[in-house]
């Protein structure tokens, strides 16, 4: 599988966020999108995820499921943890697995992978910021998709949880997945390519 971008441009609120962005990312590869605040890192991920309109340029996909678009084969993990406070940890994950998935969800495995297996019945409203982030990351494990779009995925995570995330990213890449990650910090992975936006 390969995702390639040619001369991408994004305009929001009448302001050009970025232009002439080009990259190519294949299975097993990770691309870190870096740059100062406001350079368009999050906007680029949202464009690839189909959440923002592309002003110009094109995104192409080779390989993967020919019946599905790039967003339909991608997980987008943004700044906000999309959780329902009144639902339990397990119920939140089951909702997202049902919404995103096409078959039975590996909920127990996913919660174990992010270190939340001991609190499946706890309402999400009682979770710390780090636990909320880990529950959001569990979606990546519960429903397999080849493209991961990660926006500051390690935000709010303690050191142990960051190690778990790195292990999950390594396993995803080893299985032929690819990762496009907006980040201010090193990802902790080998062979990371960089795409710099803005003047920073």
């Amino acid at each position: 599988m390969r995702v390639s971008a040619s001369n991408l441009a994004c305009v929001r609120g009448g302001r050009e966020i970025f232009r002439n962005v080009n990259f190519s990312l294949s299975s097993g590869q990770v691309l870190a999108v870096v740059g100062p605040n406001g350079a368009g890192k999050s906007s680029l991920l949202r464009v690839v995820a189909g959440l923002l309109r592309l002003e110009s340029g094109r995104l192409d996909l080779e390989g993967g499921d020919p019946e599905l678009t790039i967003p339909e084969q991608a997980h987008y993990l943004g700044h906000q943890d999309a959780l329902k406070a009144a639902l339990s940890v397990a119920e939140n994950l089951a909702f997202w697995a049902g919404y995103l998935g096409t078959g039975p969800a590996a909920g127990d495995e996913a919660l174990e992978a992010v270190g939340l297996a001991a609190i499946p019945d706890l309402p999400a409203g009682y979770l710390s910021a780090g636990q909320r982030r880990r529950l959001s990351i569990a979606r990546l494990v519960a429903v397999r998709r080849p493209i991961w779009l990660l926006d500051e995925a390690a935000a709010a995570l303690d050191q142990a949880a960051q190690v778990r995330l790195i292990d999950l990213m390594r396993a995803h890449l080893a299985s032929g997945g690819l990762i496009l990650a907006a980040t201010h910090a090193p990802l902790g992975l080998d062979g990371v390519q960089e795409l710099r936006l803005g003047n920073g």
Side-chain angles (χ1 to χ4, degrees):
M1 170 180 281
R2 183 170 69 177
V3 176
S4 55
S6 303
N7 299 315
L8 301 188
C10 176
V11 173
R12 299 182 67 182
R15 183 175 75 89
E16 184 176 79
I17 306 299
F18 58 75
R19 63 183 170 84
N20 296 329
V21 170
N22 300 278
F23 66 83
S24 180
L25 188 59
S26 299
S27 296
Q29 294 182 329
V30 55
L31 178 64
V33 185
V34 300
N37 291 336
K41 300 184 298 295
S42 295
S43 294
L44 176 58
L45 264 63
R46 289 173 63 83
V47 163
V48 178
L51 301 173
L52 284 180
R53 187 174 68 84
L54 188 60
E55 183 69 17
S56 61
R58 59 180 293 161
L59 281 164
D60 294 301
L61 176 66
E62 297 177 26
D65 189 329
E67 301 297 320
L68 300 176
T69 64
I70 293 174
E72 289 172 327
Q73 298 181 71
H75 273 304
Y76 170 71
L77 184 64
H79 290 163
Q80 304 264 332
D81 296 311
L83 304 173
K84 186 76 170 177
L87 296 181
S88 71
V89 166
E91 288 168 340
N92 268 284
L93 184 57
F95 167 80
W96 279 112
Y99 181 74
L100 297 170
T102 55
D108 292 343
E109 174 190 346
L111 292 180
E112 181 67 36
V114 298
L116 295 178
I119 54 170
D121 299 321
L122 186 68
Y126 289 96
L127 298 178
S128 69
Q131 288 172 322
R132 290 174 62 86
R133 194 60 168 173
R134 284 152 58 193
L135 181 51
S136 293
I137 292 168
R139 295 199 319 257
L140 310 181
V141 179
V143 180
R144 305 291 183 181
R145 288 188 169 186
I147 304 168
W148 285 8
L149 308 171
L150 309 180
D151 197 349
E152 299 293 350
L157 296 182
D158 60 22
Q159 186 172 3
Q162 289 180 32
V163 170
R164 285 179 183 267
L165 175 60
I166 291 169
D167 288 343
L168 290 175
M169 290 192 292
R170 284 180 178 147
H172 179 65
L173 295 170
S175 68
L178 54 88
I179 298 173
L180 180 64
T183 183
H184 285 288
L187 294 173
L189 300 169
D190 295 328
V192 176
Q193 306 170 66
E194 279 196 2
L195 171 64
R196 180 165 293 276
L197 300 183
N199 299 317

